[in-house]
Amino acid sequence: MYEIVRQAVEERDFKRVKDIFSHLEEADIADLIQGFHDNQEVDAKDISLLFRLLPKDTAAEVFTHMDSDMKELLINSFTDTELEDVVDNLFIDDTVDLIEEMPANVVQRILHASDSQSRRLINMILKYPEDSAGSIMTTEYVYVFKEMTVKDTLEKIRSLGMVKETVYTIYVTSQHRRLLGVLSILDLLTADDDEIVGDIMDTDVITALTTEDQENVAAMFAKYDYVALPVVDNENRIVGIVTFDDAMDVVEEEATEDIAHMAAVSPSEESYFKTSVFTHAKNRIVWLLVLMLSSTVSSVIIGHYEAAFAAVPLLVASIPTLTGTGGNCGSQASTIVIRAMSLGEIQLKDFFKVMFKEFRISLLVSVILGTVNFFRIYIQYYNDPTVDQMRLAICVSLAIVAAVIMSKLIGCILPMAAKAVHLDPALMAAPLISTIVDASTTLVFFNIALVVFNISM
Amino acid sequence: MYEIVRQAVEERDFKRVKDIFSHLEEADIADLIQGFHDNQEVDAKDISLLFRLLPKDTAAEVFTHMDSDMKELLINSFTDTELEDVVDNLFIDDTVDLIEEMPANVVQRILHASDSQSRRLINMILKYPEDSAGSIMTTEYVYVFKEMTVKDTLEKIRSLGMVKETVYTIYVTSQHRRLLGVLSILDLLTADDDEIVGDIMDTDVITALTTEDQENVAAMFAKYDYVALPVVDNENRIVGIVTFDDAMDVVEEEATEDIAHMAAVSPSEESYFKTSVFTHAKNRIVWLLVLMLSSTVSSVIIGHYEAAFAAVPLLVASIPTLTGTGGNCGSQASTIVIRAMSLGEIQLKDFFKVMFKEFRISLLVSVILGTVNFFRIYIQYYNDPTVDQMRLAICVSLAIVAAVIMSKLIGCILPMAAKAVHLDPALMAAPLISTIVDASTTLVFFNIALVVFNISM
């Protein structure tokens, strides 16, 4: 498809391009044009030309699927009237997203192109805290008053001429916009024309407050399987709705953020390639510095036990095995606990239940690892007359058992403790856990070694 | 709410319970009953009694929200007629999920309670490969023939009496079920009664094949913002639809799976507490063993350079800093690349582009880390006459620069290589990367040390 369209553009057969576009989904058209631009196969002037081939309502939706560079390029090529056409056909929440990505001079043009009612709504949404229900809601929804008939309601839906998911649920309000009930479009279809909506509406409505965290809103979608969720203010007046597609974006966005945190990276707003080398480095360097400097603790501990490894140099060779195993056990526990907390499977009140569970898991795991490690060392140094295999094997295996149990406990305690003091649990993931586990494992290891090898310091 | 209902049950005021239930969402009723059972506050007999308070259609949906233990308990308490009522009101995909979780004797009762048409559909869905579009689709959807009028179609929707999201899109087929086009319910509302659906349908339909991976299906939802996606067989005959709520579950499930893989844990089918200690241990032990045994390589390398740290014992103290920093850099790179690949931001063809980007990031990061580390060591040992601060600082900092560059490259190469040979990239995450980075970092470090301190082996 890409090649066919590219060739048509090259031959300047725009009639053909227009025809192909008419059979494509908006997201796919956006992908095509975006591709031409990213691969520098079509110049900026022809990109705007391609965009002008689209009917007005299609154009607006194609526009929302583009990346921010492309949007800026297009807006700069638009006349004021063209910009008005696009902005007119955008959903309010998409306009708000656009305003948040654009530089100030472009924002001014966009606001100028919006009618006064849209401007009022845009300003309202911009005021809600980032990542709140208010900030992701759209203000296009169908509301009717409870005295209206089914027939009136159907008329209203028809006359609004709205498209897409925002019309599947109809909200019934008082004259002051207080939310009284909901109706699905199916309820309307199966009711008689002269029934009163107030009589057939469902009055048990699940709502989200404007200030509700978007993560909780997405969780409500996952729980109730709704197509849309009404957003209300403190007086239960409906101010917008969140639709399932926005909730799906939130689920994906939050997972990406958690994953980044777990790898000690500050999350990036943009995609991998759109993020500059400098920003990537900035997102990674802070944690790396903190962790590198924290590892000084391990260095000091090792330095302190110089006498031990001067007596038995092979102790040093076991450090990577111990810190590695401890780190892996700790990150397993913390990752599982962090994910289970963000899915709501683990609550703070389960603190001791989780600790006890991780303790039992670590007992099982540590005994297996310790035993295998015992035989590994015994076999590895079997023919080496300079090594006391038995003592070395006992010493390292005991240290492994201790390391596994400690690190599993640290791995589950820290994320829950973080949550208790309202920090993001995902920050307590693998990298930080490993650093803490490194220090404690080394300390325990050398103390065991002092006893087993009977070394005095 | 929980307390109020619990008290009503205790006082055996079931009329009150029934009244409260009538105002609650199905998912919330399920949570309540599930809670009573999990906390052992209401006995099994009363649990079934509570369930029997619900109207038939509500009961089925409440049932789908329960966990598998609870479902089994309920089914075992049902008479055959009661089971039939529940199964009758379940969506086919929920029945299939149920069959997959239940033990054989319960499955037999469920199949027995299904009518012959449902049984046929259940068997069809069970045959699709796990995690395919066919395995998550539902077979309840509205289809009409292209010769029908808008009025007929609306009549059909009304007569089906279906609830929820499955009626928002209407599929237009040939007499042989070949998919010809789609209509939204809104198209029907805004059309005249006597128009022919074949004339107003949209013929450019995005479909998924029954064998398509569920991850790709979820990605299509994220891209096109559909409420439902038709699933077709090889002859373009519609066999079912996937609805947005199932797609949302897939997004969450796949993220959980990726996160587990990244922490070297085999994903669990069940929630944290429902998974037994033994299964948790089993899910974690394999990777721990593999990684522990692989760390032998680092041990052997360290053992090999005994002469180096016999001459300069403080070299040992820097091992945790080096392996820790290398491991963190590697896991940052691999995590970011793995997530970007699963979001489709990075393709295999971008291999060299990613490597070049990570190389530039690592240059920036390594110079900063190396410099900071140089001063840290210089200051830490400033007053220690037994230490050659300058040489130690140079040696460790050079090793850090090398470790950071190597580990960023390993961290981006391995996940992409895994993908190229059709392995799950998430397996190439932090733990495996750390183990490989540990060995290579140690090797480079001691070789730099030999040169800087002029040690001969």
Side-chain angles (χ1 to χ4, degrees):
Chain A
M1 182 55 68
Y2 186 85
E3 271 313 307
I4 297 172
V5 179
R6 200 187 56 77
Q7 214 173 332
V9 176
E10 214 165 80
E11 293 163 6
R12 315 208 69 70
D13 185 352
F14 292 111
K15 202 175 150 296
R16 185 136 157 266
V17 176
K18 196 171 172 176
D19 185 52
I20 296 173
F21 279 179
S22 73
H23 293 289
L24 291 179
E25 292 295 312
E26 286 84 352
D28 290 320
I29 300 175
D31 274 0
L32 276 177
I33 302 183
Q34 184 80 51
F36 294 148
H37 177 245
D38 290 351
N39 302 333
Q40 306 182 324
E41 291 178 323
V42 173
D43 65 19
K45 236 185 90 215
D46 281 352
I47 293 277
S48 338
L49 217 152
L50 283 178
F51 192 79
R52 286 191 182 91
L53 295 176
L54 301 167
K56 279 179 192 175
D57 52 336
T58 312
E61 212 192 317
V62 169
F63 185 81
T64 61
H65 281 98
M66 307 239 172
D67 76 12
S68 49
D69 291 355
M70 189 74 183
K71 283 177 183 160
E72 198 177 338
L73 182 150
L74 281 173
I75 293 179
N76 287 331
S77 80
F78 287 161
T79 65
D80 284 347
T81 328
E82 281 172 335
L83 184 58
E84 263 173 53
D85 281 342
V86 170
V87 172
D88 243 21
N89 282 290
L90 285 177
F91 281 89
I92 292 287
D93 58 339
D94 291 328
T95 314
V96 171
D97 290 346
L98 180 64
I99 285 175
E100 283 172 335
E101 327 177 305
M102 291 294 119
N105 59 327
V106 180
V107 168
Q108 283 214 315
R109 282 195 67 203
I110 297 169
L111 286 176
H112 197 253
S114 315
D115 56 42
S116 66
Q117 203 214 345
S118 303
R119 258 204 307 273
R120 200 180 50 77
L121 290 171
I122 291 168
N123 282 323
M124 176 184 82
I125 295 179
L126 282 173
K127 270 186 217 130
Y128 291 114
E130 206 186 343
D131 298 344
S132 68
S135 74
I136 56 166
M137 73 185 183
T138 182
T139 51
E140 283 93 351
Y141 56 92
V142 186
Y143 69 95
V144 294
F145 300 125
K146 72 171 197 298
E147 298 79 13
M148 284 168 68
T149 63
V150 168
K151 193 167 174 227
D152 296 338
T153 306
L154 284 171
E155 285 297 313
K156 177 159 183 177
I157 293 174
R158 285 195 192 100
S159 71
L160 285 171
M162 282 203 283
V163 285
K164 301 216 313 177
E165 65 280 355
T166 52
V167 294
Y168 295 138
T169 314
I170 294 98
Y171 301 92
V172 185
T173 71
S174 72
Q175 299 292 338
H176 300 94
R177 286 281 187 109
R178 246 174 259 273
L179 186 58
L180 304 173
V182 289
L183 279 174
S184 83
I185 203 159
L186 195 69
D187 294 330
L188 290 177
L189 283 181
T190 49
D192 288 333
D193 269 2
D194 48 5
E195 276 189 88
I196 304 295
V197 290
D199 297 337
I200 56 169
M201 68 186 182
D202 181 357
T203 52
D204 301 308
V205 193
I206 303 278
T207 58
L209 272 178
T210 49
T211 48
E212 184 81 54
D213 190 304
Q214 62 172 0
E215 214 170 336
N216 298 339
V217 176
M220 289 165 86
F221 273 89
K223 182 171 179 188
Y224 299 113
D225 298 344
Y226 289 149
V227 182
L229 197 70
V231 181
V232 296
D233 64 13
N234 286 320
E235 268 113 60
N236 200 35
R237 283 182 305 230
I238 181 166
V239 289
I241 60 172
V242 176
T243 50
F244 72 94
D245 51 323
D246 296 317
M248 203 145 157
D249 292 344
V250 170
V251 169
E252 203 154 273
E253 199 183 293
E254 297 282 344
T256 304
E257 225 179 274
D258 274 7
I259 289 174
H261 278 149
M262 284 183 193
V265 181
S266 311
S268 178
E269 295 277 313
E270 287 276 9
S271 71
Y272 181 79
F273 285 119
K274 292 278 159 194
T275 308
S276 70
V277 167
F278 182 75
T279 308
H280 271 298
K282 205 186 65 185
N283 287 342
R284 300 182 193 184
I285 191 72
V286 179
W287 269 109
L288 288 177
L289 275 173
V290 171
L291 296 171
M292 186 180 78
L293 294 176
S294 329
S295 75
T296 309
V297 178
S298 299
S299 308
V300 171
I301 292 173
I302 293 181
H304 183 71
Y305 290 96
E306 210 180 297
F309 62 82
V312 188
L314 264 184
L315 289 178
V316 175
S318 294
I319 292 179
T321 305
L322 279 166
T323 54
T325 304
N328 290 333
C329 287
S331 56
Q332 283 184 336
S334 65
T335 308
I336 298 294
V337 169
I338 291 167
R339 184 63 185 167
M341 279 201 287
S342 72
L343 291 180
E345 293 171 8
I346 293 181
Q347 314 287 332
L348 271 187
K349 65 177 167 53
D350 301 320
F351 189 79
F352 291 105
K353 229 167 121 190
V354 172
M355 266 186 70
F356 182 52
K357 186 143 197 164
E358 287 298 322
F359 178 67
R360 285 175 296 160
I361 298 171
S362 68
L363 277 188
L364 253 172
V365 169
S366 65
V367 169
I368 300 175
L369 291 177
T371 311
V372 171
N373 187 62
F374 181 89
F375 288 108
R376 174 185 71 88
I377 291 188
Y378 201 80
I379 293 165
Q380 192 177 348
Y381 298 108
Y382 188 69
N383 286 319
D384 192 335
T386 64
V387 182
D388 185 344
Q389 306 91 1
M390 184 53 88
R391 277 179 205 250
L392 187 68
I394 289 176
C395 165
V396 178
S397 295
L398 280 181
I400 281 200
V401 172
V404 171
I405 295 175
M406 270 186 339
S407 49
K408 289 270 179 221
L409 290 181
I410 295 174
C412 73
I413 291 172
L414 284 191
M416 300 188 77
K419 176 123 189 189
V421 296
H422 302 289
L423 277 174
D424 185 344
L427 295 174
M428 299 295 146
L432 186 62
I433 300 275
S434 300
T435 309
I436 296 171
V437 165
D438 274 6
S440 35
T441 303
T442 329
L443 190 65
V444 170
F445 174 49
F446 280 116
N447 278 302
I448 293 177
L450 291 183
V451 175
V452 173
F453 285 97
N454 206 0
I455 304 166
S456 58
M457 282 184 54
Chain B
M1 182 55 71
Y2 186 86
E3 271 314 307
I4 298 171
V5 179
R6 199 187 59 77
Q7 213 173 331
V9 175
E10 215 164 81
E11 294 163 5
R12 315 209 67 73
D13 185 354
F14 292 112
K15 202 175 151 294
R16 184 136 159 264
V17 176
K18 197 171 172 175
D19 185 51
I20 296 174
F21 278 179
S22 73
H23 292 290
L24 290 178
E25 292 295 312
E26 286 83 352
D28 291 321
I29 301 175
D31 274 1
L32 276 178
I33 302 184
Q34 185 78 54
F36 294 149
H37 177 243
D38 290 352
N39 301 335
Q40 306 181 323
E41 292 176 323
V42 175
D43 66 18
K45 235 184 92 216
D46 281 352
I47 293 277
S48 337
L49 217 152
L50 284 178
F51 192 79
R52 286 193 181 89
L53 296 175
L54 301 167
K56 279 180 192 176
D57 52 336
T58 311
E61 213 193 315
V62 169
F63 185 80
T64 62
H65 281 97
M66 308 247 178
D67 77 12
S68 49
D69 292 354
M70 188 75 183
K71 283 177 183 161
E72 199 178 335
L73 182 149
L74 282 173
I75 293 180
N76 287 331
S77 79
F78 287 162
T79 65
D80 284 347
T81 327
E82 282 172 333
L83 183 59
E84 261 173 56
D85 281 342
V86 170
V87 172
D88 243 22
N89 282 291
L90 285 177
F91 281 90
I92 291 287
D93 58 339
D94 291 328
T95 314
V96 171
D97 290 347
L98 179 64
I99 285 176
E100 283 173 335
E101 320 176 314
M102 290 294 119
N105 60 325
V106 180
V107 168
Q108 281 211 318
R109 280 194 67 202
I110 297 169
L111 285 175
H112 197 253
S114 315
D115 56 43
S116 66
Q117 204 214 345
S118 303
R119 258 203 307 273
R120 200 179 52 74
L121 291 170
I122 291 167
N123 282 321
M124 176 184 83
I125 295 178
L126 282 172
K127 271 189 214 124
Y128 292 113
E130 206 188 341
D131 297 344
S132 68
S135 74
I136 55 167
M137 71 185 185
T138 182
T139 51
E140 281 95 351
Y141 56 92
V142 186
Y143 69 96
V144 295
F145 300 125
K146 72 172 197 297
E147 298 79 11
M148 284 167 67
T149 62
V150 167
K151 193 169 172 227
D152 296 338
T153 306
L154 285 171
E155 285 295 314
K156 178 160 184 176
I157 293 174
R158 284 192 193 103
S159 71
L160 286 172
M162 282 201 282
V163 284
K164 299 215 314 174
E165 66 279 358
T166 52
V167 295
Y168 295 138
T169 315
I170 295 99
Y171 300 93
V172 185
T173 72
S174 72
Q175 299 292 337
H176 300 93
R177 287 279 187 109
R178 244 173 261 272
L179 185 59
L180 303 173
V182 290
L183 278 174
S184 82
I185 204 158
L186 196 69
D187 294 330
L188 288 177
L189 284 181
T190 49
D192 289 332
D193 269 2
D194 50 4
E195 276 191 272
I196 305 295
V197 291
D199 296 339
I200 57 169
M201 68 184 180
D202 181 356
T203 53
D204 301 308
V205 193
I206 304 278
T207 58
L209 272 178
T210 49
T211 48
E212 185 80 56
D213 190 305
Q214 63 172 2
E215 215 171 335
N216 298 337
V217 176
M220 290 164 85
F221 273 89
K223 183 171 177 185
Y224 298 114
D225 298 344
Y226 290 149
V227 182
L229 198 69
V231 181
V232 296
D233 65 12
N234 285 320
E235 268 113 60
N236 201 36
R237 283 182 304 231
I238 181 167
V239 289
I241 59 173
V242 176
T243 50
F244 73 94
D245 51 323
D246 296 317
M248 204 146 157
D249 292 344
V250 171
V251 169
E252 204 154 271
E253 199 183 294
E254 297 282 343
T256 305
E257 224 178 275
D258 273 7
I259 289 174
H261 277 149
M262 284 184 192
V265 181
S266 309
S268 179
E269 295 278 315
E270 287 276 9
S271 71
Y272 181 80
F273 285 119
K274 292 277 160 193
T275 308
S276 70
V277 167
F278 182 76
T279 308
H280 270 299
K282 205 186 66 184
N283 288 342
R284 301 182 192 184
I285 190 73
V286 179
W287 269 109
L288 288 177
L289 274 173
V290 171
L291 295 171
M292 185 181 78
L293 294 177
S294 329
S295 74
T296 309
V297 178
S298 299
S299 308
V300 172
I301 293 174
I302 294 181
H304 183 71
Y305 290 96
E306 208 181 298
F309 62 82
V312 188
L314 263 185
L315 289 179
V316 175
S318 293
I319 292 180
T321 305
L322 279 165
T323 54
T325 305
N328 291 333
C329 286
S331 57
Q332 284 184 335
S334 66
T335 307
I336 297 295
V337 168
I338 290 167
R339 184 63 184 167
M341 280 202 287
S342 73
L343 291 179
E345 293 172 7
I346 292 182
Q347 314 287 331
L348 269 186
K349 66 175 165 55
D350 301 320
F351 188 80
F352 292 104
K353 229 167 120 189
V354 172
M355 267 187 69
F356 182 53
K357 186 142 195 163
E358 287 298 321
F359 178 67
R360 284 176 296 161
I361 298 171
S362 68
L363 277 187
L364 254 172
V365 169
S366 65
V367 169
I368 300 175
L369 291 177
T371 312
V372 172
N373 187 63
F374 180 90
F375 288 108
R376 174 185 70 89
I377 292 187
Y378 201 80
I379 293 165
Q380 190 175 349
Y381 298 108
Y382 188 68
N383 286 320
D384 191 334
T386 65
V387 182
D388 184 344
Q389 306 91 1
M390 183 54 87
R391 278 181 205 246
L392 187 67
I394 290 178
C395 166
V396 177
S397 295
L398 280 181
I400 281 201
V401 172
V404 171
I405 296 176
M406 270 187 338
S407 49
K408 288 269 179 221
L409 290 180
I410 294 174
C412 73
I413 291 172
L414 284 190
M416 301 189 77
K419 175 125 190 188
V421 297
H422 302 289
L423 278 173
D424 186 343
L427 295 173
M428 299 294 147
L432 187 63
I433 302 273
S434 302
T435 308
I436 296 172
V437 165
D438 274 7
S440 36
T441 303
T442 330
L443 191 65
V444 171
F445 173 50
F446 280 115
N447 277 299
I448 293 177
L450 291 184
V451 175
V452 173
F453 284 97
N454 208 0
I455 303 166
S456 58
M457 283 185 52

